[in-house]
Amino acid sequence: MGCDGGTIPKRHELVKGPKKVEKVDKNAELAAKWKYCALSQEKLRRPIVSCELGRLYNKDAIIEYLLDKSAERPNAEAVTHVRGIKDIKELNLTDNPEWEGERRNAKGDRYEDINCGMFICPVVGLEMNGKHRFCYLQSCGCVFSDRAMKEVKTEICHKCGDPFKAEDIVVLNGTKEEVEKLREKMEQRRSKAKTKKSKKSKAAETVSTSPESKDDTQSLQEDVAGRSSLKNGGESSQSAVPGPSGSSSSSKGTKSSTTSAATTTTKRSIQDMEERSEAFKSLFTTHSSAKRTKEQTSNWVTHTPYHF
């Protein structure tokens, strides 16, 4: 059996087997993670920020997303956990002196190193190209290699000198397991923040309502005391003058006399106060110096004429 031209087909040309699985180029994958924004897929340019899961973004792209979340974006799923500006941190990166960027020759007559990174570790000097593990500190935003953090163990940042804790270290572009651990930490932090806010709001409510409740209780106590005193006074007056219904008038008379006596005792003239001086008493119209004689009075009358 032969085809035109005397060729004989082979088995793999006639029988189609299963398709080969397409493999992702590792260099292209690393370049997509470490040189391009995870949201807009544009080249990373300063200022560069990172989320709590260790993904790299352009700050402009994140701000546009937060301003308009309804717009359609190709990789919006990578930013669903970002609620606001507080959920991202601007990175303090160290430039790579060997990185030429746009200055390099684009004619194609020289070798282009894809693995050359834009930034390096300021302690060890490793390039941030994906082959080495990098992390950043949430307290200050400085970026270091994992090797530098292990070799030089300190509780102070190597670049800016700010103190940090082990919980502040976030791995950049980590594996799936590392991303899951970072997600659990993020959820724990947010739950703690919610509980703190609820406790503060409850404390503020109790503080705002406590003086009002005290005033209400004091007013209620005063009302109860006044009512009890009135009841006790009425009972004593009725018990002092026992008799038939005609005794009600006597009880009323005693009540009026008691009220008048109380008013006379409570209302006291300033001129009768011996502890006050004459200069103080002369300030009031009840003083003798303020009274006018018949000669000083006028024929016409006005409302409170105090002229002489």
Side-chain angles (χ1 to χ4, degrees):
M1 294 176 66
C3 297
D4 294 341
T7 59
I8 300 174
K10 296 181 179 179
R11 185 179 183 279
H12 72 275
E13 295 176 353
L14 298 174
V15 180
K16 294 183 178 180
K19 292 182 179 180
K20 293 182 180 180
V21 179
E22 295 181 358
K23 294 182 180 180
V24 180
D25 188 6
K26 291 183 178 180
N27 294 328
E29 187 179 3
L30 292 175
K33 284 184 178 180
W34 293 92
K35 294 183 180 180
Y36 293 88
C37 174
L39 177 61
S40 62
Q41 295 299 314
E42 296 178 355
K43 285 187 177 181
L44 289 173
R45 58 182 182 277
R46 291 180 183 272
I48 300 171
V49 296
S50 178
C51 61
E52 295 178 349
L53 300 182
R55 293 167 184 163
L56 300 174
Y57 310 94
N58 287 327
K59 193 173 183 179
D60 300 339
I62 289 288
I63 291 172
E64 289 177 1
Y65 165 75
L66 294 174
L67 290 174
D68 186 11
K69 293 184 179 180
S70 61
E72 294 182 359
R73 292 179 176 82
N75 294 328
E77 296 178 355
V79 206
T80 53
H81 61 283
V82 179
R83 303 170 300 177
I85 294 293
K86 293 182 179 180
D87 294 337
I88 59 174
K89 185 69 178 179
E90 186 172 348
L91 300 180
N92 186 8
L93 297 161
T94 305
D95 294 327
N96 185 6
E98 295 182 0
W99 173 257
E100 296 179 358
E102 296 178 355
R103 298 176 298 167
R104 64 186 174 185
N105 190 4
K107 294 180 180 179
D109 56 350
R110 54 181 284 183
Y111 173 72
E112 182 179 355
D113 190 4
I114 302 174
N115 296 324
C116 183
M118 294 184 290
F119 310 104
I120 60 171
C121 174
V123 180
V124 185
L126 295 175
E127 293 183 358
M128 199 172 78
N129 53 7
K131 291 186 176 182
H132 307 284
R133 190 179 177 188
F134 273 72
C135 56
Y136 79 94
L137 305 177
Q138 284 186 336
S139 57
C140 58
C142 296
V143 180
F144 302 98
S145 63
D146 190 30
R147 186 186 297 179
M149 299 297 290
K150 288 180 178 178
E151 290 181 357
V152 187
K153 294 182 179 180
T154 59
E155 296 180 354
I156 299 173
C157 178
H158 302 297
K159 192 170 184 179
C160 62
D162 292 341
F164 69 92
K165 298 179 182 178
E167 299 175 356
D168 298 334
I169 300 173
V170 179
V171 181
L172 290 171
N173 291 329
T175 60
K176 292 182 179 179
E177 297 177 355
E178 291 172 345
V179 171
E180 288 178 359
K181 290 180 181 179
L182 291 173
R183 193 181 294 276
E184 290 177 359
K185 289 182 180 180
M186 178 183 69
E187 292 175 356
Q188 290 177 0
R189 274 194 231 102
R190 291 182 179 180
S191 62
K192 287 181 182 178
K194 285 181 180 179
T195 53
K196 286 182 180 179
K197 285 182 180 179
S198 62
K199 287 180 180 179
K200 286 182 180 179
S201 61
K202 287 181 180 178
E205 287 177 0
T206 53
V207 168
S208 61
T209 55
S210 60
E212 295 178 358
S213 61
K214 287 181 180 178
D215 295 337
D216 295 338
T217 52
Q218 288 178 359
S219 60
L220 287 172
Q221 289 176 359
E222 290 176 358
D223 293 338
V224 171
R227 289 177 184 176
S228 61
S229 62
L230 289 173
K231 287 181 180 179
N232 294 329
E235 290 176 358
S236 62
S237 62
Q238 288 178 2
S239 62
V241 187
S245 59
S247 61
S248 60
S249 61
S250 61
S251 63
K252 290 180 181 178
T254 53
K255 286 182 181 178
S256 61
S257 62
T258 53
T259 53
S260 63
T263 52
T264 52
T265 53
T266 54
K267 292 182 180 180
R268 187 180 173 190
S269 178
I270 296 172
Q271 304 301 329
D272 297 336
M273 295 180 181
E274 296 179 356
E275 63 273 11
R276 301 293 182 180
S277 62
E278 289 295 330
F280 180 77
K281 292 178 181 179
S282 63
L283 297 174
F284 300 90
T285 56
T286 56
H287 195 259
S288 59
S289 62
K291 294 179 181 179
R292 295 177 295 172
T293 60
K294 291 181 180 180
E295 297 177 355
Q296 293 175 346
T297 57
S298 59
N299 296 327
W300 48 274
V301 180
T302 59
H303 182 66
T304 61
Y306 295 113
H307 56 87
F308 297 100

